Amino acid sequence: LPTFAFAVDADGDGVDSGSAAFTEGFESELQGWTLSPVASNFGRTTTSGGGRVHAGSYAGGWTSTSGSTYGEFSRSMSFGPSAQISFWRGISGINSNPDVQLLIDGVQQTLSCGGLSNKWQQCSYGITEGTHQISIKVRSPGVFCSIGCVSVGHWVDDIVISAAVDNCPSVANPTQLDT
């Protein structure tokens, strides 16, 4: 389950009724996320399954080549003032920027990213207050032959959203799904 850091948790679901931090490290089955496409080779990955991880044992991405396409993790969340999303995006193969994109309400955002360190790069973006659809798109692995052929994979890990707001402060719902 996703985990939440909280200060005042009136309904006992781990989400503060004010500002909170939502984290997704892919260490347990994904709940509250919509995956597209729904495919056996997209979702949680491990190093033994052909993926890369930034921390822990799992990350999000593809476990095998699936052509030149994108997979998407998405969810709707409510945000308080001064909200921010940050995550690590990783690459294997050639040294270039990982092809992991952030979309808010369907619009691709320009990310502020640090330098590549051990083929991982931390990115962040400020989010306005309100309810938004958050999507993280990860390009599937592929073989690129511009200068010799090389297999390149892309992954996302350690998603942190600060100032996430409990969407139902009087009823426990730790996944923050609207039910």
Side-chain angles (χ1 to χ4, degrees), residues 54 83-91 96-103 108-117 119-127 136-137 155-162:
H54 177 258
Q84 180 171 317
I85 183 171
S86 69
F87 57 88
W88 289 86
R89 60 186 188 175
I91 189 168
S96 65
N97 287 332
D99 199 348
V100 176
Q101 304 167 1
L102 172 68
L103 287 80
Q108 185 175 341
Q109 305 301 312
T110 302
L111 297 169
S112 172
C113 298
L116 218 55
S117 174
K119 300 198 178 195
W120 283 95
Q121 181 180 49
Q122 188 173 29
C123 301
S124 62
Y125 187 81
I127 303 173
I136 297 178
K137 292 177 73 171
W155 292 274
V156 63
D157 204 356
D158 300 323
I159 302 167
V160 176
I161 302 174
S162 64

Side-chain angles (χ1 to χ4, degrees), residues 118-175:
N118 195 26
K119 300 198 178 195
W120 283 95
Q121 181 180 49
Q122 188 173 29
C123 301
S124 62
Y125 187 81
I127 303 173
T128 59
E129 187 172 5
T131 300
H132 299 285
Q133 181 73 21
I134 303 297
S135 299
I136 297 178
K137 292 177 73 171
V138 181
R139 186 172 183 170
S140 67
V143 176
F144 299 89
C145 294
S146 57
I147 306 175
C149 292
V150 62
S151 177
V152 178
H154 309 272
W155 292 274
V156 63
D157 204 356
D158 300 323
I159 302 167
V160 176
I161 302 174
S162 64
V165 175
D166 192 336
N167 68 354
C168 193
S170 62
V171 177
N173 63 339
T175 63

Side-chain angles (χ1 to χ4, degrees), residues 15-70:
V15 182
D16 172 12
S17 56
S19 296
F22 168 88
T23 63
E24 176 63 75
F26 298 94
E27 296 305 305
S28 58
E29 292 299 322
L30 301 175
Q31 293 194 18
W33 293 92
T34 300
L35 275 61
S36 176
V38 175
S40 61
N41 64 338
F42 179 67
R44 292 173 66 222
T45 67
T46 65
T47 53
S48 63
R52 284 180 54 88
V53 298
H54 177 258
S57 300
Y58 295 89
W62 295 85
T63 58
S64 62
T65 302
S66 190
S68 183
T69 188
Y70 287 88

Side-chain angles (χ1 to χ4, degrees), residues 3-22 164 166 174:
T3 58
F4 297 84
F6 57 91
V8 177
D9 181 17
D11 60 6
D13 66 3
V15 182
D16 172 12
S17 56
S19 296
F22 168 88
D166 192 336

